[in-house]
């Protein structure tokens, strides 16, 4: 196994693939340098001495400039490197892509739910949503009623633990409480016998709909419309208070914009005109049950892989993200695009420094100009509130080697593979063009994942180096670890371990192909992701300009 790596031939730094002790001699390109200090795995060290103002290049792009002298073989840290990135401008070169060989998947299919508008779902859910936070409690009432009544309720392992602790306390056995260690419970998703063709009934709650700006409410309505229009959703029950900014009429207009012939069942209940709460909720429960009888008639049928729409996401990134998991799902993206499918790369703050590459990969000037406009507007808004993309890396990112936003971004962009950019979407815009789409979202894991699904992703590939449980209510989220140690430490949240790329046991293309095979099984319902099993139903709308 190699102990260090130069990612790109232009790079003037190496990445430690394991802890490298001080004094170790590094042989590279015919030269020998001695490490001045211990370099932790995932961290970087320069090949030559750097002076303040000197450039640091990784992934072949500028990722920062020295803020203090850095000796060759000395660790790069926040104390000696500051964020810097190349500027970007209009499209200035043509782009040619050599498609990967996809002959082995050319005639493969997955088993999906075919919708009248041509979309194909990987799951079949009924959705219950509030137009405003005032209805969150009522959504909770319906959730309890349906989950318990239909058997979708999660395992009550922790309730049983409390019951046992109460029993021990009532027996006066404090010592037994101090030593109490329950057996590990294996979570499973119960299949409902009443509606076997429905994967579940899902409930979105949020803190929006009123009290913010009208733009926030409009964006919320557009996002909720994307979820109702989504191929994984058979229909929806909508609870409205009545007086809020996020009016039902705005939601209905957003649905018609997505599909002028929209005909999914959407059941609307407005509390201020419905009389007593008990009557409204009882009607909602009865009507939802009747609608689910119809939804249960949907069955999985073969669909081409071109109907798969993959969201490309990362969270809790580390210094291995851009070396293993991100380029691996980037290759999966290329394979799917070559098959006529669609992928969505989001998190615009994490494209900082690689904008020109993305611009030149755009299929035309209009697409490139839209990307430039959105990126500059987003950056200006962040700076107007005293922030900036340079503040994107989290303490966990920095601790694990992502010292600047440009380092993080250069690795994050690898999720998008090498295919042309066929379209650029602003927040809440729905995907319409096959190929690689760029979607404006913040880097925040849940806000970005929520947006990718709202724009049509029916599966999400989510890479993580530090470990995060993020999931989504209606789309399976496949979690990929960048390193084997994480996969072993958190097996309950990791679906695929890409650490074999770091160890040299697998190549990036081999791993990307394995991931595509896994995606097909998940899309067909043969495999439930760990996030689905844990019922990790995360949903956070983005208030634009506030989050990175």
């Amino acid at each position: 196994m190699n102990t260090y790596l130069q990612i790109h031939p232009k790079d003037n730094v190496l990445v430690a693939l394991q802890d490298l002790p001080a004094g170790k001699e590094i042989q590279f390109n015919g030269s020998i340098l001695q490490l001045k200090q211990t370099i932790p795995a995932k961290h970087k060290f320069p090949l030559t001495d750097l002076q303040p103002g000197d450039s640091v290049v990784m992934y072949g792009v500028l990722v920062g400039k020295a803020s203090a002298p850095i000796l060759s073989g000395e660790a790069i840290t926040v104390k000696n490197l500051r964020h810097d990135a190349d500027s970007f401008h209009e499209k200035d070169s043509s782009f040619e892509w050599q498609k990967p060989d996809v002959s082995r998947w050319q005639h493969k299919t997955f088993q999906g739910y075919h919708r009248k508008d041509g979309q194909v779902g990987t799951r079949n859910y009924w959705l219950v949503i509030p137009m405003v936070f005032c209805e969150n409690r009522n959504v909770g009432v319906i959730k309890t009623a349906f989950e318990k009544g239909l058997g979708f309720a999660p395992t009550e392992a922790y309730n049983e633990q409390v019951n046992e602790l109460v029993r021990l306390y009532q027996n006066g056995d404090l010592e037994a409480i101090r030593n109490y260690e329950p057996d590990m419970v294996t979570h499973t998703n119960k299949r409902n016998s009443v509606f076997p063709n429905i994967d579940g009934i899902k409930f979105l709650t949020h803190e929006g709909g009123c009290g913010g700006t009208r733009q926030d409410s409009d964006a919320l309505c557009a996002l909720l419309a994307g979820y109702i229009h989504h191929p994984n959703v058979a229909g929806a029950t909508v609870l409205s208070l009545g007086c809020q900014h996020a009016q039902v009429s705005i939601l209905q207009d957003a649905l018609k914009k997505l599909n002028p012939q929209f005909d999914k069942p959407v059941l609307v209940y407005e509390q201020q005109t419905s009389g007593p709460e008990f009557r409204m909720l009882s009607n909602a429960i009865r009507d939802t049950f009747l609608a689910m009888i119809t939804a249960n008639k949907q069955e999985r049928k073969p669909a081409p892989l071109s109907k798969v729409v993959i969201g490309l996401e990362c969270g809790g990134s580390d210094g291995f993200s851009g070396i293993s998991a991100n380029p691996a799902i980037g290759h999966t993206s290329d394979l799917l695009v070559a098959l006529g499918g669609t992928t969505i790369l989001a998190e615009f703050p994490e494209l900082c420094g690689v904008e020109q590459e993305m611009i030149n990969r755009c299929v035309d000037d209009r697409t490139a100009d839209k990307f430039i406009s959105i990126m500059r507007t987003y950056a200006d808004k962040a700076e107007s509130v005293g922030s900036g993309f340079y503040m994107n890396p989290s303490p966990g990112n920095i601790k694990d080697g992502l010292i600047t936003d440009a380092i993080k971004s250069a690795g994050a962009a690898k999720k998008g593979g090498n295919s042309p950019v066929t379209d650029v979407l602003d927040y809440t815009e729905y995907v319409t063009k096959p190929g690689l789409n760029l979607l404006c979202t913040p880097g925040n894991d849940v806000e970005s994942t929520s947006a990718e699904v709202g724009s049509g992703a029916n599966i999400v590939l989510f890479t993580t180096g530090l470990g995060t449980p993020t999931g989504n209510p209606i789309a399976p989220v496949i979690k990929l670890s960048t390193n084997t140690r994480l996969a072993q430490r958190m097996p309950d949240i990791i679906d695929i371990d890409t650490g074999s790329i770091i160890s040299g046991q697998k190549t990036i293309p081999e791993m990307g192909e394995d991931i595509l095979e896994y995606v097909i099984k998940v899309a067909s319902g043969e495999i439930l992701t760990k996030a689905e099993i844990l019922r990790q139903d995360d949903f956070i709308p983005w208030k634009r300009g506030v989050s990175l």
Side-chain angles (χ1 to χ4, degrees), residues 143 202-206 223 227 444-454 460 462 468-475 477 479 493 531-532 534-541:
K143 178 178 181 179
K202 293 294 185 174
F203 306 84
L204 304 187
T205 56
H206 55 81
L223 182 65
Y227 272 70
N444 176 289
D445 305 354
V446 178
E447 287 175 330
S448 183
T449 303
S450 299
E452 287 185 338
V453 176
V460 176
F462 190 116
T468 171
T470 303
N472 183 265
I474 65 169
V477 177
K479 217 70 58 57
I493 71 164
E532 289 180 289
L534 291 174
R535 304 174 67 84
Q536 188 77 34
D537 293 342
D538 299 313
F539 176 76
I540 301 179

Side-chain angles (χ1 to χ4, degrees), residues 53-80:
D54 286 350
S55 297
V56 170
V57 176
M58 277 187 67
Y59 299 96
V61 299
L62 176 67
V63 296
K65 290 191 175 179
S67 57
I70 313 174
L71 300 178
S72 64
E74 190 173 63
I76 291 176
T77 70
V78 291
K79 294 181 179 179
N80 56 31

Side-chain angles (χ1 to χ4, degrees), residues 9-89:
K10 293 182 180 179
D11 294 358
N12 61 353
V13 297
L14 300 179
V15 182
L17 299 181
Q18 61 185 47
D19 293 344
L20 302 178
K24 180 179 176 64
E25 290 188 343
I26 300 295
Q27 297 184 15
F28 184 77
N29 280 355
S31 300
I32 297 177
L33 67 88
Q34 190 174 60
L35 297 183
K36 308 296 189 296
Q37 60 191 118
T38 296
I39 310 293
K42 310 176 188 179
H43 286 257
K44 294 85 185 168
F45 55 94
L47 290 166
T48 59
D49 294 348
L50 300 176
Q51 298 302 316
D54 286 350
S55 297
V56 170
V57 176
M58 277 187 67
Y59 299 96
V61 299
L62 176 67
V63 296
K65 290 191 175 179
S67 57
I70 313 174
L71 300 178
S72 64
E74 190 173 63
I76 291 176
T77 70
V78 291
K79 294 181 179 179
N80 56 31
L81 185 71
R82 60 177 172 81
H83 167 82
D84 204 352
D86 288 322
S87 59
F88 59 94
H89 47 77

Side-chain angles (χ1 to χ4, degrees), residues 475-492:
V477 177
I478 300 171
K479 217 70 58 57
L480 304 98
S481 68
T482 70
N483 60 90
T484 299
R485 187 174 298 178
L486 169 62
Q488 294 171 342
R489 187 173 68 249
M490 303 180 78
D492 55 333

Side-chain angles (χ1 to χ4, degrees), residues 72-325:
S72 64
E74 190 173 63
I76 291 176
T77 70
V78 291
K79 294 181 179 179
N80 56 31
L81 185 71
R82 60 177 172 81
H83 167 82
D84 204 352
D86 288 322
S87 59
F88 59 94
H89 47 77
E90 287 69 24
K91 185 176 171 70
D92 62 8
S93 67
S94 59
F95 177 75
E96 292 185 7
W97 178 48
Q98 186 171 353
K99 294 182 180 181
D101 180 10
V102 292
S103 54
R104 63 185 271 200
W105 296 282
Q106 202 71 58
H107 302 292
K108 270 206 170 186
T109 60
F110 73 98
Q111 295 292 317
Y113 294 97
H114 294 248
R115 306 301 180 186
K116 291 181 181 179
D117 60 7
Q119 297 186 97
V120 180
T122 62
R123 298 290 184 268
N124 190 31
Y125 288 118
W126 189 270
L127 192 60
V128 179
I129 61 174
M131 294 302 300
V132 63
F133 55 81
C134 308
E135 293 297 319
N136 282 348
R137 188 190 72 83
N138 286 335
V139 169
V141 171
I142 296 177
K143 178 178 181 179
T144 299
F146 271 104
E147 287 193 337
K148 290 190 173 182
L150 293 178
F152 287 126
T155 303
E156 297 184 348
Y158 300 108
N159 302 57
E160 293 170 8
Q161 290 179 28
V162 172
N163 291 338
E164 178 62 14
L165 293 173
V166 168
R167 187 188 66 78
L168 293 172
Y169 173 69
Q170 290 174 337
N171 290 339
D173 198 345
L174 296 181
E175 188 62 27
I177 294 175
R178 294 187 186 98
N179 296 322
Y180 178 68
E181 291 187 10
D183 294 330
M184 182 73 74
V185 174
T186 301
H187 295 273
T188 58
N189 268 28
K190 301 174 183 176
R191 199 71 191 177
N192 177 252
S193 59
V194 179
F195 300 127
N197 293 324
I198 296 179
D199 292 284
I201 179 167
K202 293 294 185 174
F203 306 84
L204 304 187
T205 56
H206 55 81
E207 303 304 317
C210 204
T213 66
R214 294 293 177 91
Q215 290 84 352
D216 287 338
S217 294
D218 289 347
L220 174 65
C221 288
L223 182 65
L224 295 176
Y227 272 70
I228 297 172
H229 175 64
H230 196 280
N232 289 7
V233 172
T237 300
V238 178
L239 301 188
S240 168
L241 179 60
C243 58
Q244 72 276 351
H245 284 164
Q247 288 288 299
V248 171
S249 60
I250 301 174
L251 174 68
Q252 292 169 333
D253 288 344
L255 287 169
K256 288 294 183 183
K257 183 178 179 181
L258 290 171
N259 179 10
Q261 282 76 48
F262 182 84
D263 62 354
K264 282 185 185 178
V266 178
L267 314 176
V268 179
Y269 304 87
E270 193 156 273
Q271 188 167 7
Q272 290 173 343
T273 59
S274 293
E277 177 187 287
F278 180 82
R279 182 190 304 162
M280 180 188 78
L281 294 180
S282 297
N283 289 341
I285 289 170
R286 178 200 61 210
D287 297 344
T288 298
F289 190 91
L290 287 169
M292 290 176 71
I293 293 174
T294 301
N296 186 56
K297 294 177 182 177
Q298 286 268 6
E299 295 182 355
R300 290 185 181 271
K301 297 177 182 178
L305 297 186
S306 59
K307 292 297 184 178
V308 174
V309 182
I310 292 181
L312 305 165
E313 187 67 31
C314 61
S317 300
D318 71 349
F320 286 162
S321 293
I323 303 172
S324 59

